[in-house]
């Protein structure tokens, strides 16, 4: 079986090397942070040296995670060294590691652990499971495969990844295996409802202000099948919000009855826009995202597109329309 072979190769990668760099994608979500920490824990169980790094800060909301404060923020503090052994988690392609690639030594060996169907297998060793709901689900399997005993702290991290990438066990990626895994994690004492409250229910006031402002500008195509909202730097300033407060806004246009694709355009600067795409099921948004140099899943995908908002919005909407 391919999965077993990839698990075996990943185990060998971890046991045969030492002094690792562990990275996840830029603007990390619950799965990216949790998977980084789970790999860190795994390495500590093996007695290995490792450093966890992200291009930017991790969301404040995730500060409860075991060793969350050990993930170094490269934008705040440079790290003047390079690593020969790198583990990338939840990164659909190499670009997604962002600035942390500066820390990769030339010819560095890479272990690529991910669940995006668009992953192009950029690792020296690849552990890619496109049907997994989250990278955390794959790490659960790897930990079991290696015969390590979980504890509550790391079970909480894995549960966090599952919870956030399935939207609270609601999206179509919520397979029987996801529920079985979540059930096992709860046995370790994970506080499921508390995590749902913290990560999915609670909003900060700036987050709510930002949402209200964004929804004011909601657009809909004439046939009612594509809907989008835009968030600019001025919107963030107005609301007193930060980047992570944009999480979840894209669901609102998508949730309108009759809408097939919901989009969120986040203006990064004058030259680039981040597009988040969500599909009701008919349109493969990973395909649309890929045509703009991004990637993701059938129902949730994203891309960073170079250009101004005025130029990008009609281009993306048109590309979605062609898929309808
Ligand atoms: P987001 O819209 O940022 O919540 O991302 C939705 C899904 O698309 C996630 O699974 C992301 O990992 C993936 N994704 C987002 N942006 C990109 C990108 N620039 N390249 C590849 N995959 C992406
Ligand atoms: Mn992610
Ligand atoms: Mn993920």
């Amino acid at each position: 079986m391919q999965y077993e072979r990839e698990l075996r190769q990943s185990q060998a990668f971890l046991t045969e090397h030492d002094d690792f760099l562990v990275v996840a994608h830029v603007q990390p979500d619950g799965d990216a942070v949790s998977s980084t920490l789970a790999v860190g824990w795994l390495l500590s169980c093996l007695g290995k040296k490792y450093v966890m790094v992200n291009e930017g800060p991790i969301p404040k909301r995730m500060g409860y995670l075991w060793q969350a404060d050990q993930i170094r923020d490269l934008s705040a503090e440079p790290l003047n060294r390079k690593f020969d052994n790198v583990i990338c988690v939840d990164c659909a392609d190499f670009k997604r590691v962002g600035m942390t690639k500066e820390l990769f030594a030339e010819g560095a060996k890479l272990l690529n652990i991910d669940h995006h169907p668009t992953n192009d297998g950029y690792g020296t060793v690849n552990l890619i499971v496109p049907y997994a709901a989250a990278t955390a689900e794959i790490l659960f399997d790897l930990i079991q495969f290696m015969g390590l005993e979980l504890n509550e702290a790391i079970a909480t991290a894995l549960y966090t990844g599952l919870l956030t990438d399935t939207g609270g066990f609601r999206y179509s990626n919520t397979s029987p295996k996801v529920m079985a895994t979540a059930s096992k994690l709860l046995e370790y004492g994970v506080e499921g409802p508390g995590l749902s409250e913290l990560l999915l229910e609670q909003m900060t006031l700036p987050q709510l202000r930002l949402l209200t402002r964004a929804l004011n500008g909601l657009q809909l195509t004439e046939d009612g099948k594509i809907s989008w909202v835009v968030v600019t730097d001025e919107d963030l300033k107005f609301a007193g919000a930060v980047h992570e407060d944009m999480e979840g806004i894209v669901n609102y246009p998508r949730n309108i009855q009759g809408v097939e694709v919901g989009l969120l355009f986040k203006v990064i600067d004058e030259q680039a826009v981040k597009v988040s795409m969500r599909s009701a099921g008919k349109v493969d948004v990973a395909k649309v995202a890929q045509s703009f140099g991004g990637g993701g899943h059938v129902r949730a995908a994203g891309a960073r597109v170079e250009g101004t908002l005025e130029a990008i919005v009609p281009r993306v909407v048109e590309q979605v329309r062609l898929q309808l």
Side-chain angles (χ1 to χ4, degrees), residues 23-312:
V23 300
H25 61 76
V26 298
Q27 277 132 21
D29 52 23
D31 190 31
V33 175
S34 298
S35 297
T36 302
L37 296 173
V39 169
W41 175 80
L42 219 162
L43 291 169
S44 69
C45 289
L46 299 174
K48 302 287 184 178
K49 272 173 52 186
Y50 63 94
V51 182
M52 301 177 288
V53 182
N54 198 277
E55 179 186 283
I58 69 154
K60 280 204 194 73
R61 224 176 257 261
M62 288 161 200
Y64 66 90
L65 288 165
W66 177 83
Q67 292 215 324
D69 59 345
Q70 298 297 306
I71 301 179
R72 298 179 58 154
D73 171 359
L74 198 59
S75 69
E77 178 195 13
L79 204 88
N80 294 317
R81 60 158 295 191
K82 292 192 188 285
F83 294 81
D84 291 315
N85 300 297
V86 183
I87 304 165
C88 302
V89 290
D90 206 36
C91 292
D93 56 66
F94 186 73
K95 288 196 312 285
R96 292 282 281 161
V97 304
M99 306 280 279
T100 66
K101 72 167 183 291
E102 290 170 4
L103 308 174
F104 300 13
E106 212 182 302
K109 291 190 187 69
L110 239 106
L111 172 59
N112 167 12
I113 309 178
D114 185 41
H115 68 122
H116 293 91
T118 54
N119 194 301
D120 55 9
Y122 55 85
T124 317
V125 174
N126 297 290
L127 178 55
I128 303 164
V129 189
Y131 52 83
T135 302
E137 182 184 333
I138 307 170
L139 288 171
F140 177 87
D141 290 346
L142 182 61
I143 289 166
Q144 301 278 104
F145 182 80
M146 293 178 66
L148 298 167
E149 184 63 39
L150 283 171
N151 59 33
E152 185 187 335
I154 210 66
T156 297
L158 295 174
Y159 189 94
T160 295
L162 285 182
L163 182 76
T164 51
D165 264 20
T166 59
F169 305 109
R170 290 179 304 155
Y171 302 155
S172 58
N173 57 358
T174 311
S175 64
K177 180 158 177 274
V178 166
M179 296 312 257
T181 305
S183 166
K184 286 178 202 151
L185 294 172
L186 289 168
E187 299 279 354
Y188 285 94
V190 174
E191 291 183 31
L195 293 175
S196 299
E197 170 67 20
L198 175 69
L199 298 168
L200 304 173
E201 300 291 337
Q202 278 181 16
M203 291 182 95
T204 62
L205 197 56
Q207 200 179 1
L208 195 69
R209 275 201 205 107
L210 184 68
L211 174 66
T212 325
R213 188 167 162 109
L215 292 183
N216 254 323
L218 183 129
Q219 306 278 319
L220 198 66
T221 50
E222 232 163 76
D223 60 5
K225 291 190 174 160
I226 309 169
S227 176
W228 66 94
V229 291
V230 171
V231 175
T232 63
D233 239 11
E234 289 79 64
D235 296 326
L236 288 178
K237 277 202 200 98
F238 169 85
V242 290
H243 196 277
E244 65 186 86
D245 295 328
M246 288 188 276
E247 190 83 24
I249 294 182
V250 66
N251 291 321
Y252 287 84
R254 215 293 274 146
N255 286 347
I256 301 168
Q257 279 189 356
V259 165
E260 285 298 336
V261 175
L263 303 166
L264 169 66
F265 296 90
K266 314 168 195 172
V267 182
I268 298 173
D269 52 38
E270 269 140 48
Q271 279 109 49
V273 174
K274 162 79 203 270
V275 193
S276 286
M277 310 177 185
R278 298 293 184 271
S279 166
K282 261 190 210 154
V283 174
D284 179 352
V285 285
K287 218 159 100 186
V288 180
Q290 258 184 322
S291 73
F292 288 98
H297 310 276
V298 173
R299 284 171 177 252
R304 188 195 146 99
V305 190
E306 303 292 322
T308 62
L309 189 67
E310 293 69 30
I312 292 165

